[in-house]
Amino acid sequence: MQEIYFDNAATTQVLPEVAEMARKMMCEEYGNPSALYGRGLAAERAVKQAREQVAALIGAQPQEIIFTSGATESNNMAMRGAMKIRTRRGKHMVISALEHQSVIQTVRAMLELGYDFDLIPVETSGRINPGVVQNMMRPDTVFASIMLVNNEVGTVQPIADLRRAIDAKRSQVLLHVDASQALGKIPINVSELGVDFLTGSGHKLHAPKGVGFVYVRQGLRIPPFINGGGQEGGLRSGTENTPGICALGLAARLAQTQMEERYQQVKQVHDTFLQGLKGLDGWHINGRAAERLPHILSIAFDGVKSEVLLHMLEEQGIYVSAGAACSAHKDTLSHVLRAMRMRRNLIEGTLRFSFSHLNTTQEAELAAQAVCRSVQDLRGII
Ligand code: PMP
């Protein structure tokens, strides 16, 4: 049976050359970057190159990149660090209703430390209105967290406009952007976006799991997140994960050089899949087309329970998600779809299809046929 992997927002396949880079760093260039002999220096050089490659992908300086274990850690580090350096100015933050659990739960933990927050509402289209954010600014607001591309519906936020709106009311608000689902898919420039912190994860970008980074704008002096030997500019100690870091660096470079052709491939897969669903009625896409990337397609099917459909597709070798992978095990309705004010029955009938450039239009045709058949079967039973 041909397997079709349409869950690339959950994680991606590591590219062969990226895996080879990780192998090389484990088996050949395995020195500790802090060691003073040749093998250590070679590892240090490789990490330096990876830092440059990641920086280049987002228009940053290499010294502004701190490697971490992934976007969860990066989000924790950015948020806790930002609030600590602004404590004297205020303890209020705003985060969008679309954020990933790694942001939401960090805020929740910070409430116990005396911090306060408000949730930025989202329009039914999946977009955040800059005017709304502007009006939410209080004299004690010091931090805002707004993701670039949402992991459930693929909507892109107008970060530069949001920055301007915030500045118009309150300067000195630190802006954190979770770019995990945007990285390598659309051009990102931290200066043009006006962000102070930007986070990403290797495994969404065809690099391994367990490696990510946080961009910390030069001049911002956040306290160490992990104390120890002083690696990563003293912010995140611990012997560097050289296989992961160098794999991430290469994956970043490949994503940058192939961005346009990968995007076109994903767009074709997305368009072919939608074309294949034309014969089926009773479904709609969550999130307005103008705001969405083609990489993520969230579809609500009338009269269908998404979990049942998910397992029917799985039996046919097609792997998709019923929501964010990290909340899939929890018996709760998606907070993102609820924030977009979708009705309960539609949320319960929503599946997420997420594509990468490794997918083909032939896979899209086959998957669309399987979805049509399965949805019709399920509706027939009810
Ligand atoms: N932010 C977003 C938007 C994500 O999609 C994810 C991965 N589900 C994360 C953060 C967390 O990334 P990681 O699992 O690498 O910590």
Side-chain angles (χ1 to χ4, degrees):
M1 181 168 62
Q2 180 180 356
E3 297 206 337
I4 299 176
Y5 184 74
F6 278 176
D7 201 16
N8 290 279
T11 197
T12 56
Q13 186 178 28
V14 176
L15 294 171
E17 56 269 58
V18 172
E20 169 52 26
M21 171 62 86
R23 190 207 61 79
K24 194 178 106 190
M25 295 309 296
M26 286 188 281
C27 303
E28 294 168 27
E29 308 283 5
Y30 54 81
N32 187 322
S34 301
L36 295 181
Y37 43 83
R39 206 184 284 286
L41 295 179
E44 190 191 10
R45 264 198 304 275
V47 169
K48 180 171 177 279
Q49 186 186 30
R51 206 179 300 283
E52 289 163 2
Q53 289 167 327
V54 171
L57 184 59
I58 59 167
Q61 298 299 317
Q63 65 274 19
E64 295 174 311
I65 304 296
I66 312 297
F67 288 116
T68 65
S69 67
T72 298
E73 181 186 326
S74 299
N75 287 341
N76 271 263
M77 185 169 170
M79 296 175 73
R80 290 172 191 272
M83 291 307 283
K84 276 190 192 144
I85 51 174
R86 284 290 190 264
T87 299
R88 268 194 289 151
R89 287 177 192 268
K91 286 191 158 191
H92 179 246
M93 53 188 147
V94 294
I95 68 161
S96 91
L98 298 171
E99 297 307 297
H100 185 261
Q101 288 300 332
S102 52
V103 170
I104 296 172
Q105 297 306 328
T106 303
V107 168
R108 187 162 285 176
M110 289 171 72
L111 295 184
E112 287 167 20
L113 302 173
Y115 296 100
D116 185 15
F117 85 104
D118 280 306
L119 208 56
I120 305 169
V122 50
E123 296 173 344
T124 52
S125 64
R127 181 176 174 275
I128 291 166
N129 184 330
V132 169
V133 179
Q134 189 167 340
N135 288 333
M136 291 175 75
M137 292 296 119
R138 301 192 329 204
D140 59 340
T141 308
V142 290
F143 179 78
S145 188
I146 304 172
M147 67 191 344
L148 183 48
V149 172
N150 177 261
N151 50 307
E152 290 192 42
V153 289
T155 47
V156 189
Q157 299 307 332
I159 299 294
D161 293 345
L162 288 160
R163 169 91 260 180
R164 277 189 286 275
I166 292 170
D167 284 352
K169 192 78 172 284
R170 289 269 310 144
S171 59
Q172 304 279 336
V173 170
L174 294 172
L175 178 59
H176 161 238
V177 167
D178 178 348
S180 301
Q181 297 288 349
L183 207 63
K185 294 173 183 153
I186 48 174
I188 297 177
N189 184 296
V190 284
S191 307
E192 284 169 17
L193 294 179
V195 303
D196 299 293
F197 299 93
L198 183 134
T199 50
S201 197
H203 71 104
K204 313 285 185 188
L205 189 71
H206 307 280
K209 295 159 188 63
V211 65
F213 73 92
V214 51
Y215 154 83
V216 182
R217 184 170 56 75
Q218 196 155 28
L220 287 175
R221 304 186 67 81
I222 61 169
F225 188 61
I226 299 183
N227 297 293
Q231 292 90 345
E232 296 302 306
L235 295 185
R236 204 267 185 185
S237 288
T239 301
E240 296 87 341
N241 167 13
T242 56
I245 289 171
C246 296
L248 172 56
L250 178 57
R253 185 169 69 78
L254 293 173
Q256 192 176 7
T257 53
Q258 300 170 8
M259 195 175 293
E260 181 56 29
E261 58 195 86
R262 285 188 186 184
Y263 189 96
Q264 290 310 329
Q265 174 66 15
V266 169
K267 174 115 184 40
Q268 272 190 26
V269 170
H270 165 276
D271 293 353
T272 306
F273 183 71
L274 278 187
Q275 187 64 29
L277 294 187
K278 282 271 158 67
L280 184 70
D281 55 19
W283 59 273
H284 77 263
I285 302 173
N286 304 322
R288 193 166 54 206
E291 330 282 358
R292 285 196 306 110
L293 282 191
H295 300 71
I296 298 179
L297 190 52
S298 171
I299 299 186
F301 296 95
D302 296 342
V304 166
K305 286 268 182 279
S306 57
E307 261 194 60
V308 182
L309 180 56
L310 182 146
H311 290 301
M312 277 178 87
L313 293 174
E314 181 191 359
E315 279 166 22
Q316 300 167 72
I318 299 164
Y319 305 115
V320 302
S321 167
C326 24
S327 53
H329 296 297
K330 295 187 197 135
D331 191 21
T332 51
L333 285 182
S334 152
H335 68 279
V336 170
L337 301 181
R338 268 188 296 148
M340 289 167 65
R341 289 190 286 289
M342 279 178 57
R343 287 201 316 274
R344 185 186 183 94
N345 61 325
L346 286 181
I347 299 178
E348 286 175 346
T350 290
L351 278 190
R352 177 186 72 181
F353 305 87
S354 50
F355 313 113
S356 90
H357 69 285
L358 300 176
N359 291 126
T360 64
T361 50
Q362 186 242 5
E363 288 179 336
E365 278 167 20
L366 288 176
Q369 284 164 14
V371 169
C372 292
R373 259 194 329 265
S374 306
V375 170
Q376 274 155 354
D377 282 0
L378 279 175
R379 286 182 182 153
I381 294 169
I382 299 164

